[in-house]
């Protein structure tokens, strides 16, 4: 009987493929695909000329440029320092390590508006850090630099939590092997540790970048929100909504969606290429 | 290169038990030495100290008479092979082997083509030609370990150190690699030290075997000498099986269960008193009891056939555990013996250690 059954349909060793695939599709549709597709439909409603109008609006262009630009810079900053923090947490044991480890997650837990207000208070011209920087001629709050600061804060845990398990998995003996072969610390880092951590670093970077693009709560407090200077795209969407310009709002959203999707796709392709290159795990 | 280790101590913080407790060891140029001991004996710590991966608390390590202890691991020029290979998994086999040359300072770094040539040469030496483009994940365990060895040899090390090099491999591959490593050593002549907890491996492979116990070298000797004349009870018990029997020494004779056992010439000067007799199963002689007093009496409990040997368990009155005797299968007498037979026991070769030790 079982022989006949397996002849008709090849048996899978891991059970439950059908049900998990069905669930995944239903779940994704309900929470991701259907809501996002309404964005596309709503945008189509406004017609090509209306969409073109939004696309060529300098205010929209600048907001998009600012959102993606600051998210990119913040994700790059986080990639560097997140790797450093993850490294330190994995490699060394010292009193208070658990505390620092836990503190990394705080940006996840904190309402982002609270973070935005706290950062603004610190970095405003009369704040603790802001006053010092102001003396040096640097202005952080109410400028694009302030946006980057907020996005660095928001994105840090993504990088640390992506890289940390991979570094934990990277045995100390690999570094020792590099040392016995005469590699300097820099060579050990650049030729051994970084390539091993790179896929996870890319993942963390992509997550931090995506989160930064969509971030709203913390940014609007520190950005100052001057049109064409420090106004981010998510804020412009909210402004359009408040003007009851729903089509205008969804058009910007559709643009953001398209750019984000292309960016994440590029990172995924890069990962796949890297996996293929090293013969998989 | 000759390695001198003098009075080496290493304390790990907080444990209270020193990992190395006064190690003295000299390894001659071109020698193949095994560090053999139970786990936690300090053998790996000793090897890592020679490499510079551990910093001993005190003592000295000399390479050809030059202080090496205060040299950084990067400058010691040792080839180290790790138990779990420690290959760079994002690099091809060829890049792994060439790594040591490619990270040299610019003025000592060979040209890329030269690195490539040398790496290929070494891969041929470890019989892995044709696998240059593979990644470590695409290799078997034995192949990975040979890549690790080629990588260590690429820097032309003055000494080759191997930490349980075959520990993670299955029995068949272990045996093959063992013979192969011995052959490689004979051809390249590197001063080589390897750590193992497998006595068969140590005895078969090494020129000399150092028995490590509790952070000290118990004995260092060529394999045969080590097996035949162990210096301490620990070495006796660690290498091969041994029977421990209580004896009394008086008048230049040892008495086992009241029966005299003649002492070898070397042991003639032994002071009278209680001793423990260490004797290998194959150094015991059995005879059927004919005349009273021809030897201590044991009751045969069990006869087992094991390959070319017959193992017999005999119960003596004066110790709780049965003793083990080995006879060649060709010995004609054993097939007639039955459980419960009384047999006389005599010893050909044995060592006496004081009771208190």
């Amino acid at each position: 009987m079982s022989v006949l059954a397996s002849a008709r349909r090849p048996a899978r060793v891991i059970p439950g493929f059908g049900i998990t695939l069905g669930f995944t599709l239903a779940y994704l549709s309900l929470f991701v695909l259907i809501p996002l597709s309404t964005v596309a439909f709503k945008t189509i409603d406004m017609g090509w000329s209306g969409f073109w109008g939004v696309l060529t609006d300098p205010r929209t262009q600048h907001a998009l440029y600012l959102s993606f630009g600051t998210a990119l810079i913040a994700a790059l900053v986080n990639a560097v320092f997140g790797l450093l923090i993850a490294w330190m947490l994995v490699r060394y044991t010292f009193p208070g390590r658990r505390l620092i480890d836990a503190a990394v997650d705080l940006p996840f837990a904190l309402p982002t508006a609270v973070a935005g207000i706290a950062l603004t208070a610190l970095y405003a011209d009369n704040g603790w850090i802001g006053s010092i920087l102001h003396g040096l001629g640097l202005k952080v709050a109410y400028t694009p630099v302030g946006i980057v600061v907020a996005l660095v804060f928001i994105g840090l845990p993504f990088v640390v939590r992506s890289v940390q398990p991979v570094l934990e998995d990277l045995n100390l003996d690999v570094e020792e092997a590099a040392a016995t072969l005469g590699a300097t610390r820099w060579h050990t880092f650049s030729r051994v540790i970084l390539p091993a951590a790179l896929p996870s670093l890319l993942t963390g970077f992509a997550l931090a970048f995506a989160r930064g693009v969509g971030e709203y709560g913390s940014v609007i407090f520190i950005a100052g929100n001057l049109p064409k200077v420090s106004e981010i795209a998510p804020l412009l969407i909210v402004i359009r909504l408040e003007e009851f310009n729903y089509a205008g709002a969804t058009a910007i959203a559709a643009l953001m969606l398209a750019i984000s999707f292309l960016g994440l796709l590029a990172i995924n392709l890069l990962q796949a290429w890297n996996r293929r290159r090293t013969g998989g795990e | 290169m000759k390695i001198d280790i003098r009075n080496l101590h290493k304390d790990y913080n907080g444990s209270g038990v020193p990992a190395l407790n006064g190690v003295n060891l000299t390894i001659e140029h071109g020698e193949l030495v095994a560090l053999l001991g139970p786990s936690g004996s300090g053998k790996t710590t000793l090897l890592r100290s020679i490499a510079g991966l551990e910093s001993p608390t005190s003592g000295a390590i000399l390479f050809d008479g030059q202080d090496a202890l205060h040299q950084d691991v990067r400058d010691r020029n040792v080839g180290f092979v790790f138990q779990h290979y420690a290959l760079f998994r994002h690099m091809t086999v060829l890049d792994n082997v060439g790594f040591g040359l490619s990270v040299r300072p610019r003025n000592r770094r060979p040209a890329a083509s030269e690195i490539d040539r040398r790496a290929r040469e070494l891969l041929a030496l470890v019989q892995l030609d044709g696998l240059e483009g593979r990644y470590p994940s695409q290799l078997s365990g034995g192949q990975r370990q040979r890549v690790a060895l080629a990588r260590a040899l690429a820097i032309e090390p003055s000494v080759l150190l191997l930490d349980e090099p075959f520990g993670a491999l299955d029995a068949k591959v272990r045996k093959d690699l063992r013979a192969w490593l011995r052959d490689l050593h004979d051809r390249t002549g590197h001063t080589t030290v390897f750590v193992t907890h497998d006595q068969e491996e140590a005895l078969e492979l090494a020129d000399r075997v150092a028995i490590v116990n509790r952070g000290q070298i118990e004995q260092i000797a060529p394999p045969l000498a080590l097996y035949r004349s162990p210096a301490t009870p620990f070495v006796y018990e660690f290498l091969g099986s041994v029977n421990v029997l209580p004896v009394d020494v008086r008048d230049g004779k040892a008495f086992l269960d009241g029966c005299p056992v003649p002492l070898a010439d070397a042991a003639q000067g032994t002071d009278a008193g209680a001793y423990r007799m260490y004797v290998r199963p194959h150094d015991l002689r059995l005879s059927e009891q004919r005349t009273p007093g021809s030897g201590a009496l044991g009751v045969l409990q069990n006869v087992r056939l094991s390959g070319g040997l017959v193992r017999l368990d005999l119960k003596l009155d004066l110790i709780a555990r049965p003793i083990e005797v080995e006879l060649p299968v060709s010995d004609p007498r054993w097939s007639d013996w039955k459980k419960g037979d009384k047999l006389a026991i005599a010893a050909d070769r044995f060592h006496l250690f004081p009771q208190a030790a």
Side-chain angles (χ1 to χ4, degrees):
Chain A
M1 200 51 215
S2 65
V3 173
L4 285 177
S6 65
R8 246 180 282 129
R9 203 177 53 173
R12 283 175 191 277
V13 176
I14 303 167
F17 173 71
I19 196 163
T20 48
L21 178 70
F23 182 80
T24 305
L25 287 180
Y27 195 86
L28 268 180
S29 303
L30 213 55
F31 291 101
V32 180
L33 296 177
I34 295 175
L36 289 186
S37 64
T38 59
V39 171
F41 288 133
K42 195 81 190 168
T43 313
I44 291 167
D45 274 355
M46 75 191 297
W48 181 245
S49 63
F51 185 70
W52 186 252
V54 174
L55 192 68
T56 51
D57 174 25
R59 188 173 169 187
T60 312
Q61 284 178 347
H62 189 273
L64 287 172
Y65 164 74
L66 187 67
S67 275
F68 284 95
T70 51
L72 188 67
I73 295 168
L76 286 172
V77 171
N78 274 329
V80 174
F81 293 98
L83 179 64
L84 192 100
I85 291 171
W87 166 259
M88 186 208 62
L89 288 174
V90 168
R91 253 319 154 256
Y92 306 101
T93 44
F94 52 91
R97 185 172 69 105
R98 298 256 159 244
L99 223 59
I100 295 180
D101 202 6
V104 168
D105 285 331
L106 280 182
F108 276 151
L110 212 61
T112 50
V114 176
I117 294 167
L119 288 172
T120 310
L122 270 177
Y123 282 95
D125 287 349
N126 53 357
W128 272 8
I129 303 173
S131 59
I132 299 167
L133 294 175
H134 188 66
L136 299 170
L138 287 171
K139 202 166 149 55
V140 174
Y142 315 123
T143 68
V145 183
I147 301 175
V148 173
V149 169
L151 296 185
V152 166
F153 173 86
I154 295 298
L156 181 67
F158 290 99
V159 175
V160 177
R161 292 298 177 236
S162 306
V163 176
Q164 205 173 1
V166 176
L167 288 182
E168 270 166 8
D169 202 37
L170 188 70
N171 286 321
L172 191 61
D173 59 10
V174 176
E175 287 166 49
E176 290 180 339
T180 59
L181 293 167
T184 58
R185 280 169 218 279
W186 166 247
H187 272 138
T188 305
F189 175 77
S190 64
R191 304 261 319 260
V192 175
I193 298 164
L194 192 61
L198 198 61
S200 63
L201 192 63
L202 267 176
T203 304
F205 171 82
L207 289 171
F209 173 70
R211 180 75 166 82
V213 169
E215 175 59 15
Y216 177 77
S218 61
V219 174
I220 53 166
F221 289 98
I222 199 169
N225 309 324
L226 293 171
K228 294 199 223 172
V229 177
S230 57
E231 186 180 58
I232 55 167
L235 178 64
L236 193 59
I237 295 173
V238 174
I239 291 171
R240 292 288 180 251
L241 288 175
E242 282 169 350
E243 294 166 349
F244 303 107
N245 182 359
Y246 297 128
T250 51
I252 301 172
L255 280 170
M256 288 190 75
L257 208 62
I259 301 171
S260 297
F261 182 74
L262 286 177
L264 294 177
L265 188 69
I267 289 172
N268 268 326
L269 289 176
L270 200 62
Q271 298 260 42
W273 171 76
N274 186 53
R275 253 199 310 279
R276 245 197 332 277
R277 197 175 58 92
T278 58
E281 278 306 302
Chain B
M1 191 174 59
K2 182 178 170 181
I3 305 169
D4 275 302
I5 295 161
R6 291 183 195 157
N7 203 21
L8 209 63
H9 284 263
K10 165 85 183 171
D11 299 307
Y12 282 114
N13 295 337
S15 65
V17 187
L20 298 178
N21 194 8
V23 172
N24 288 290
L25 181 63
T26 299
I27 295 157
E28 298 297 337
H29 177 82
E31 213 179 5
L32 179 56
V33 168
L35 301 177
L36 176 67
S39 50
S41 58
K43 56 191 192 297
T44 294
T45 307
L46 177 57
L47 191 80
R48 289 171 58 85
S49 299
I50 299 173
L53 295 168
E54 302 274 353
S55 344
T57 321
S58 65
I61 297 175
L62 305 175
F63 285 0
D64 273 343
Q66 303 287 312
D67 172 49
L69 196 56
H70 300 98
Q71 247 182 346
D72 192 85
V73 48
R74 291 169 188 82
D75 307 322
R76 279 195 207 185
N77 198 32
V78 296
F80 201 98
V81 175
F82 294 81
Q83 182 178 2
H84 297 288
Y85 329 124
L87 293 177
F88 308 129
R89 54 186 171 187
H90 58 278
M91 288 183 205
T92 61
V93 165
L94 194 68
D95 288 341
N96 263 286
V97 176
F99 181 84
L101 295 175
S102 70
V103 296
R104 279 193 180 166
R106 207 169 289 277
N107 54 354
R108 292 198 296 119
R109 189 186 308 165
S113 59
E114 171 67 9
I115 294 176
D116 186 85
R117 193 187 62 76
R118 294 259 289 274
R120 282 174 196 279
E121 214 173 80
L122 281 161
L123 281 175
L125 182 71
V126 299
Q127 295 157 8
L128 286 176
D129 16 4
L131 300 182
E132 294 88 356
R134 298 271 191 97
Y135 285 88
S137 57
Q138 299 164 325
L139 300 180
S140 72
Q143 289 173 328
R144 287 183 206 189
Q145 197 55 296
R146 281 186 280 160
V147 174
L149 196 64
R151 183 179 67 176
L153 290 172
I155 60 168
E156 290 167 348
S158 42
V159 47
L160 190 59
L161 305 172
L162 305 104
D163 183 12
E164 306 240 4
F166 312 131
L169 303 170
D170 62 59
K172 171 85 175 75
V173 181
R174 278 175 96 113
K175 268 208 136 88
D176 290 349
L177 274 186
R178 210 188 278 167
W180 175 83
L181 180 67
R182 178 73 235 187
D183 181 54
L184 185 79
H185 175 264
D186 291 345
R187 274 190 290 158
T188 61
H190 283 98
T191 306
T192 305
V193 185
F194 74 99
V195 157
T196 183
H197 62 259
D198 180 343
Q199 43 173 294
E200 196 188 322
E201 191 170 292
L203 295 175
E204 187 180 319
L205 202 49
D207 295 326
R208 283 195 301 157
V209 178
I211 304 289
V212 187
N213 183 34
R214 295 187 188 182
Q216 286 177 322
I217 306 274
E218 291 259 345
Q219 187 178 5
I220 176 160
L224 187 64
L226 200 67
Y227 187 77
R228 305 207 76 161
S229 337
T232 67
F234 175 83
V235 178
Y236 237 125
E237 285 178 52
F238 190 72
L239 280 185
S241 43
V242 68
N243 295 299
V244 185
L245 301 166
V247 293
D248 285 310
V249 172
R250 55 180 187 271
D251 313 328
K253 275 182 183 158
F255 289 86
L256 173 63
D257 203 8
C259 300
V261 185
L263 287 177
D265 295 341
Q268 280 303 332
T270 310
D271 292 335
Y275 286 83
R276 288 188 298 168
M277 171 194 268
Y278 281 70
V279 54
R280 302 258 184 230
H282 55 77
D283 287 333
L284 282 169
R285 251 183 311 112
L286 293 178
S287 55
E288 281 147 59
Q289 174 81 5
R290 294 234 169 71
T291 51
S294 66
L297 274 187
V299 179
L300 189 63
Q301 282 195 325
N302 205 354
V303 182
R304 287 165 293 149
L305 199 59
S306 161
L309 291 172
V310 185
R311 292 214 167 87
L312 304 106
D313 292 334
L314 287 110
K315 178 77 183 77
L316 265 68
D317 281 342
L318 73 172
I319 47 169
R321 263 223 315 221
I323 62 166
E324 197 179 73
V325 181
E326 281 174 9
L327 295 177
V329 171
S330 54
D331 191 312
R333 300 168 299 162
W334 65 273
S335 52
D336 299 333
W337 293 340
K338 297 182 298 295
K339 276 186 198 179
D341 281 359
K342 286 190 174 173
L343 298 169
I345 299 163
D348 287 336
R349 296 175 58 91
F350 56 87
H351 276 71
L352 298 178
F353 294 103
Q355 188 69 274

